[in-house]
Amino acid sequence: MSNLQRKVLGSGMPPPLTGMPPLPTSGGGRRRPGSFRRRSYSPVSWKKYWETKENVQTDEGVFTVYSRGFGDTLVLLLHGGGYSALTWSLVGEELTKMAGCRIAAVDLRGHGESVVTDADMCRDNLTKDVRNVADLLMEQGGQKNLVLVGHSLGGAIAVSAAKEGGVAGLVVIDVVEGTALESLTHMQGFLRSRPQQFRSISHAIEWCVRSGQARNLDSAKVSMPGQIKNKNGVLVSSLVNELTENRIPEVVETGKRMAPEPPPDSIKEEDEEGNLENKADPPKTEAQSESTDGPFTWAVDLSSTEPYWTGWFADLSSNFLSAPSAKLLLLAGVDRLDTDLTVGQMQGKFQMMVLPQVGHAIQEDSPDKVAEAVANFLVRNRLAESKDSNIRVPKFPVRA
């Protein structure tokens, strides 16, 4: 665990823009001698999880939207700062199995493949973008109800949009005004601590998992390419199809312990016996088969967005409580609650759920649990039909 992680964990405040949860522990269970295998950190295309990818044209620009499923309700997923719509890939897949609704994830202004004419990322502009995209998607698909689900920055934008009305359901994931504003003082230091570049895409994915930004490798494989760009400024997720089609099949040897070449500033892991992993030369497979358009850098310069940070999260708690929508708050820990939300929760103004053993990026660490929570919320409030016998409509619906 790095010194920065110890400081962040010790403060009890998760970064509001991007996650740095605890390092995942080494895999449980004993390994058979001679059965060590090198983990694959190869990127995965969006096509594995989404049915369609489209560009939605508004007066402000063009927004990339991934979608799947169908139903009378549109569930629009909003990502956090520095992420892209692909952070919702596994949640979207699981939610489709549980509830009958249309699921869409959008690249916010300044993120992913979306392109806008004005670079201003103030909360009002982000909110307007979301409302415009939602209106166009609902008109296109014929949906009657809108549910906004947002993580971190996306949660703040979802609240801002919902307070204006016209939103049937609001789900906010791991963002609370008090802790968010307090953690902003640590954000620049956190951003400086990250590697500034990666030699290959697989190295970026490996760093994502080893550093604890995402505990779920499958999530990191599809999400991380949406967070980095190549030396020509092209978002890696838009190139993954070509990379996977040209990939050389990985040869996995048995009887020999393998360790991938670490990226710059990588974090050393310990194996079950507490020893550093074998530093023998790794087999040249993934890195060789990937594009040579590196080095790869972060697609979004979060440091440059500092002038907007306070505005994104100001009045978040009061706006959340006053939004005329059914509400669900998903948290990684109860210590995230501030005074206003604690009182509101005791008064039954919203539904709250705390997921154990997850970091800030809850939707990536535990996509099945997040999908289940959202599905229950939709069915409970008569916003979608259940497709899973474990998710049932209550006799008396409750609207928080």
Side-chain angles (χ1 to χ4, degrees):
M1 182 180 294
S2 67
N3 289 333
L4 178 65
Q5 285 176 284
R6 292 191 182 95
K7 292 179 181 178
V8 172
L9 292 176
S11 68
M13 297 180 292
L17 309 181
T18 181
M20 181 56 80
L23 275 171
T25 57
S26 52
R30 290 183 175 273
R31 299 171 177 153
R32 263 190 315 115
S35 65
F36 297 115
R37 289 173 177 263
R38 179 173 182 256
R39 300 179 77 186
S40 172
Y41 295 97
S42 302
V44 171
S45 169
W46 65 268
K47 293 183 178 180
K48 180 177 179 179
Y49 299 101
W50 302 99
E51 295 171 356
T52 62
K53 174 184 177 182
E54 60 183 313
N55 292 320
V56 178
Q57 178 78 51
T58 73
D59 292 338
E60 305 299 324
V62 180
F63 295 86
T64 300
V65 176
Y66 303 85
S67 61
R68 62 179 298 152
F70 58 90
D72 290 335
T73 294
L74 170 66
V75 179
L76 186 58
L77 308 172
L78 311 178
H79 61 79
Y83 289 86
S84 77
L86 295 176
T87 188
W88 299 105
S89 296
L90 275 69
V91 169
E93 180 183 48
E94 292 298 320
L95 185 54
T96 303
K97 303 173 185 176
M98 301 177 185
C101 57
R102 183 186 181 190
I103 303 162
V106 59
D107 284 338
L108 297 178
R109 171 185 295 247
H111 294 73
E113 296 182 56
S114 292
V115 179
V116 293
T117 55
D118 183 359
D120 190 336
M121 292 182 62
C122 70
R123 184 170 66 184
D124 287 346
N125 283 346
L126 289 164
T127 302
K128 183 179 179 181
D129 294 338
V130 168
R131 294 303 302 236
N132 288 340
V133 170
D135 289 344
L136 290 171
L137 290 177
M138 293 178 70
E139 180 181 354
Q140 172 196 73
Q143 280 77 41
K144 302 174 183 178
N145 305 307
L146 173 63
V147 174
L148 297 178
V149 180
H151 166 247
S152 198
L153 167 61
I157 302 308
V159 169
S160 178
K163 75 173 184 177
E164 301 174 4
V167 177
L170 172 63
V171 181
V172 175
I173 299 180
D174 211 44
V175 58
V176 172
E177 180 182 349
T179 52
L181 292 175
E182 289 174 8
S183 350
L184 293 179
T185 58
H186 307 283
M187 186 51 56
Q188 287 290 4
F190 167 73
L191 295 176
R192 286 193 296 269
S193 75
R194 301 188 304 175
Q196 298 306 302
Q197 65 180 33
F198 304 94
R199 292 193 297 272
S200 69
I201 303 169
S202 60
H203 285 160
I205 296 171
E206 181 180 359
W207 174 86
C208 180
V209 176
R210 286 177 177 252
S211 69
Q213 177 170 300
R215 297 183 178 189
N216 187 322
L217 177 57
D218 289 333
S219 293
K221 285 182 176 183
V222 66
S223 175
M224 195 62 181
Q227 301 175 50
I228 57 175
K229 60 185 178 181
N230 68 8
K231 66 181 181 181
N232 299 316
V234 180
L235 194 71
V236 169
S237 59
S238 66
L239 306 173
V240 169
N241 286 334
E242 177 183 347
L243 292 173
T244 53
E245 288 173 1
N246 296 330
R247 184 170 302 284
I248 301 172
E250 182 176 359
V251 177
V252 180
E253 301 178 12
T254 59
K256 180 180 179 181
R257 186 162 188 155
M258 301 177 181
E261 184 181 358
D265 302 325
S266 66
I267 298 176
K268 297 179 181 179
E269 278 190 336
E270 294 185 351
D271 61 16
E272 294 169 359
E273 290 74 27
N275 297 320
L276 293 178
E277 288 193 4
N278 191 340
K279 296 302 179 181
D281 293 336
K284 298 179 180 179
T285 51
E286 288 181 332
Q288 281 188 333
S289 60
E290 285 181 2
S291 167
T292 58
D293 286 339
F296 300 89
T297 55
W298 296 104
V300 180
D301 180 10
L302 287 175
S303 295
S304 67
T305 65
E306 184 175 10
Y308 306 108
W309 292 354
T310 300
W312 286 345
F313 303 105
D315 302 319
L316 176 58
S317 294
S318 60
N319 289 338
F320 175 73
L321 292 172
S322 63
S325 312
K327 297 182 279 289
L328 169 64
L329 179 62
L330 286 179
L331 297 175
V334 292
D335 57 320
R336 265 77 162 167
L337 282 183
D338 56 24
T339 302
D340 289 344
L341 290 183
T342 299
V343 173
Q345 201 274 329
M346 293 176 65
Q347 295 174 340
K349 292 185 177 180
F350 61 92
Q351 180 186 352
M352 187 181 77
M353 181 178 294
V354 178
L355 297 184
Q357 299 180 336
V358 293
H360 181 51
I362 301 178
Q363 74 283 359
E364 294 199 20
D365 292 348
S366 189
D368 53 340
K369 295 298 183 184
V370 170
E372 183 179 0
V374 174
N376 271 298
F377 173 78
L378 295 173
V379 173
R380 179 175 182 252
N381 290 282
R382 304 300 204 278
L383 294 171
E385 294 184 359
S386 174
K387 297 168 67 175
D388 188 319
S389 60
N390 294 320
I391 298 174
R392 302 175 182 176
V393 180
K395 294 182 179 180
F396 302 99
V398 179
R399 293 184 67 87

